[in-house]
Amino acid sequence: MKLDILLGMQWGDEGKGKIVDVFTQRYDVIARFQGGPNAGHTIIFDNQKYILHTIPSGIFHENSKNIIGNGVVLEPLIFQNEILKIENRIPDLYSKLFISCKAHLILPSHRLLDAAYEAYKGKEKIGSTLKGIGPTYTDKIARCGLRVGDVQRSDFGERYLKLKNQHLLLARNLEFDYKNHQIDGLSFENYEKLWMEAAYSLKKFNIVETEFMTNQALDKGHKILAEGAQGTLLDIDFGTYPFVTSSNTTSSGVCSGLGVAPKRIGEVYGVFKAYCTRVGSGPFPTELNDDTGTYLREQGAEFGSTTGRPRRCGWLDLPALKYACMLNGTTALIMTKTDVLSGLKNIKIATHYKYKGEIIDYFPFDMSFEAVEPVYHTMEGWNEDLTLSTDGDTLPEKLKQYILFIESYLKIPIVVVSVGPDRLQTIFMDKQSNY
Ligand code: GDP
Ligand code: IMO
Ligand code: MG
């Protein structure tokens, strides 16, 4: 059996959580392969809203197994709070959640360092979620990190102290006032106490070598869906560096983040919004700082699931989407938040960029505001409310033209159109290709 992948094609928040939840009925296992609590994946059903940060979005389905893979970075206290919010709803939670012993731990001092680096960068700051993602992956690569499996060792406390002291030295060198720094409203010492308890309570969970689980499941013919966090344009290698996250958010991250070989990969589902958003700093060629941008933010409730920050909004960017399809080997596309575009007289789509006096259709090295100017194709909009639509055939003609235009440009079918945040507001287009 092959392992399928579902991931974000833009700058994150494309609606991955919602779609993974809908897709889980077709899978036996859902597995996160990278990122950590910088992610915020929203799932809405039965008038209840849940935001998951570390736990895979398949957790609400009865027969699903959910894996937090070795490529993920886990913050025990954030994870514990996440568990507390859902454990009443999921009686078999502990038996269906598996954590890789090789996943790296985010320490309170990683979070402190995240803030220290951002402060040091000043105006150039990334706009990090400050969950300690960058410093934790830094330690993983520098070979001095702590892993989930280490909480079972008798010398965990000493190892923790050694790494924390290393971090405090660094913070001092960055001239960061760490003594007065608060984490989630608590002093460092108070946060650390709670964190340590949460770290030890990880022992209650199934801590396993998840690479054997995934490979054995595939050998038995079970179906696995790998759930991406963040988005392609935040990838550490291919995103708008340095305004990126610290992991490979693209499909290549699945092999290293779950221990599966490339030949095991099947479908790659790319989720994109019908327009674009970005939270945090960095290039965004089609950004709208006008009434249309405000309209998209209000209609789409574009405020961060993890930090509550307003998201920057703009038109769909096809050169960027084409780049994302190439990098991921995307086999099928899923368009979300389509309902948000209803009511706009005209809708623009960037098809090219003006770049150094030339017209190009690729994603160049220099994506800065000064270097890249989008070239737009304008289409007529539609007024119909889509949120009750259930059938692709009955969608407004103008929307069908919008879909066809995107499919023709990318040469990849849009197989699902999402028309609202609820599980049920999902249309399967039931076709292989329209272009
Ligand atoms: P993720 O990080 O990719 O899982 O996305 P987020 O959950 O951070 O952000 C997506 C937001 O859009 C959430 O508030 C979802 O509830 C919401 N959402 C998802 N799909 C749709 C859709 O088709 N229409 C509308 N209006 N909202 C959606
Ligand atoms: P999901 O999985 C949107 C952004 C941050 C910042 C940059 C680096 O919900 O789509 P980090 O905390 O990794 O140091 O932040 O990346 N970012 C996200 N933006 N959705 C996310 O996750 C994000 N995770 C990180 O805003 O610009
Ligand atoms: Mg999100």
Side-chain angles (χ1 to χ4, degrees):
M1 187 54 74
K2 298 274 190 193
L3 171 148
D4 296 342
I5 304 172
L6 185 149
L7 41 68
M9 303 293 278
Q10 295 160 324
W11 282 284
D13 302 330
E14 297 90 348
K16 300 173 292 292
K18 174 199 155 154
I19 303 295
V20 169
D21 171 60
V22 171
F23 273 32
T24 301
Q25 50 191 320
R26 305 167 167 195
Y27 289 90
D28 304 295
V29 181
I30 307 296
R32 278 277 305 269
F33 59 93
Q34 46 71 234
N38 48 349
H41 294 183
T42 314
I43 297 171
I44 299 178
F45 59 93
D46 298 344
N47 291 321
Q48 295 280 335
K49 175 171 168 175
Y50 302 93
I51 299 177
L52 299 174
H53 302 287
T54 320
I55 298 171
S57 300
I59 200 74
F60 295 103
H61 289 259
E62 228 170 88
N63 297 316
S64 64
K65 283 196 173 124
N66 290 264
I67 293 179
I68 297 172
N70 57 282
V72 173
V73 288
L74 184 143
E75 211 277 27
L77 189 50
I78 297 179
F79 175 71
Q80 187 181 65
N81 288 333
E82 217 177 315
I83 292 285
L84 288 175
K85 285 192 185 135
I86 61 169
E87 66 181 351
N88 286 344
R89 160 121 218 162
I90 308 172
D92 55 346
L93 177 64
Y94 287 84
S95 63
K96 67 189 211 189
L97 186 59
F98 300 84
I99 309 175
S100 169
C101 49
K102 294 177 178 146
H104 276 247
L105 287 173
I106 302 176
L107 272 51
S109 47
H110 282 129
R111 297 193 59 183
L112 186 145
L113 271 184
D114 223 350
Y117 283 125
E118 284 284 74
Y120 194 77
K121 285 188 168 129
K123 277 205 308 237
E124 309 274 284
K125 73 173 184 175
I126 294 166
S128 167
T129 61
L130 302 179
K131 304 296 178 199
I133 306 295
T136 306
Y137 279 117
T138 302
D139 280 355
K140 174 177 176 173
I141 301 300
R143 297 162 296 178
C144 59
L146 286 173
R147 300 187 289 177
V148 168
D150 291 331
V151 298
Q152 293 164 326
R153 300 171 73 132
S154 56
D155 61 352
F156 178 69
E158 288 154 48
R159 286 165 171 262
Y160 169 86
L161 214 57
K162 191 164 177 217
L163 188 54
K164 178 183 95 169
N165 287 337
Q166 186 183 323
H167 292 159
L168 294 185
L169 271 175
L170 252 171
R172 213 170 297 154
N173 277 343
L174 291 166
E175 294 173 356
F176 187 67
D177 179 13
Y178 64 87
K179 292 198 171 122
N180 290 315
H181 179 68
Q182 294 206 326
I183 305 179
D184 293 344
L186 295 176
S187 69
F188 184 83
E189 285 73 22
N190 287 342
Y191 192 88
E192 187 181 38
K193 266 185 219 137
L194 296 175
W195 183 94
M196 197 52 92
E197 284 165 23
Y200 282 120
S201 74
L202 285 174
K203 291 184 199 171
K204 289 193 296 202
F205 290 88
N206 300 301
I207 299 177
V208 295
E209 285 152 305
T210 51
E211 61 273 31
F212 293 111
M213 267 187 83
T214 46
N215 283 285
Q216 284 162 8
L218 293 171
D219 289 343
K220 283 188 208 150
H222 295 170
K223 294 192 75 186
I224 304 183
L225 182 66
E227 171 183 3
Q230 291 78 55
T232 300
L233 305 178
L234 289 171
D235 182 272
I236 183 73
D237 282 288
F238 299 108
T240 45
Y241 193 89
F243 303 100
V244 293
T245 190
S246 298
S247 63
N248 280 118
T249 59
T250 41
S251 52
S252 66
V254 173
C255 294
S256 54
L258 287 175
V260 293
K263 68 177 181 190
R264 296 277 206 182
I265 308 294
E267 297 291 327
V268 180
Y269 294 104
V271 186
F272 71 101
K273 276 182 195 175
Y275 48 97
C276 274
T277 64
R278 172 161 207 172
V279 59
S281 333
F284 182 178
T286 61
E287 181 171 12
L288 292 166
N289 291 307
D290 60 8
D291 289 350
T292 311
T294 308
Y295 182 85
L296 293 174
R297 187 172 311 108
E298 283 172 2
Q299 295 298 310
E302 294 294 359
F303 296 90
S305 311
T306 297
T307 57
R309 292 177 290 179
R311 295 179 184 141
R312 299 155 65 193
C313 297
W315 297 120
L316 188 64
D317 182 338
L318 287 180
L321 203 50
K322 188 166 111 176
Y323 184 56
C325 290
M326 177 188 85
L327 294 171
N328 291 302
T330 306
T331 57
L333 288 161
I334 294 165
M335 183 162 81
T336 60
K337 307 203 82 155
T338 317
D339 52 301
V340 175
L341 292 182
S342 293
L344 289 169
K345 192 163 182 297
N346 291 308
I347 298 174
K348 292 187 181 183
I349 311 184
T351 57
H352 297 81
Y353 300 137
K354 265 190 211 150
Y355 179 69
K356 300 189 174 164
E358 276 183 68
I359 301 287
I360 61 166
D361 67 353
Y362 63 89
F363 201 77
F365 177 75
D366 182 2
M367 281 296 290
S368 64
F369 175 70
E370 304 81 47
V372 170
E373 188 191 326
V375 178
Y376 289 111
H377 171 76
T378 303
M379 301 185 75
E380 272 180 58
W382 59 89
N383 279 319
E384 290 88 335
D385 175 8
L386 307 177
T387 55
L388 296 175
S389 309
T390 51
D391 180 358
D393 291 336
T394 61
L395 290 174
E397 278 311 309
K398 300 291 181 212
L399 169 55
K400 284 185 184 163
Q401 285 166 20
Y402 190 69
I403 291 172
L404 198 58
F405 188 84
I406 299 166
E407 289 182 324
S408 312
Y409 186 102
L410 299 171
K411 311 252 180 300
I412 299 172
I414 295 177
V415 295
V416 173
V417 171
S418 173
V419 291
D422 194 276
R423 238 185 213 175
L424 302 175
Q425 292 169 305
T426 312
I427 303 176
F428 285 83
M429 300 300 278
D430 195 28
K431 60 176 179 196
Q432 277 313 299
S433 159
N434 231 351
Y435 53 84

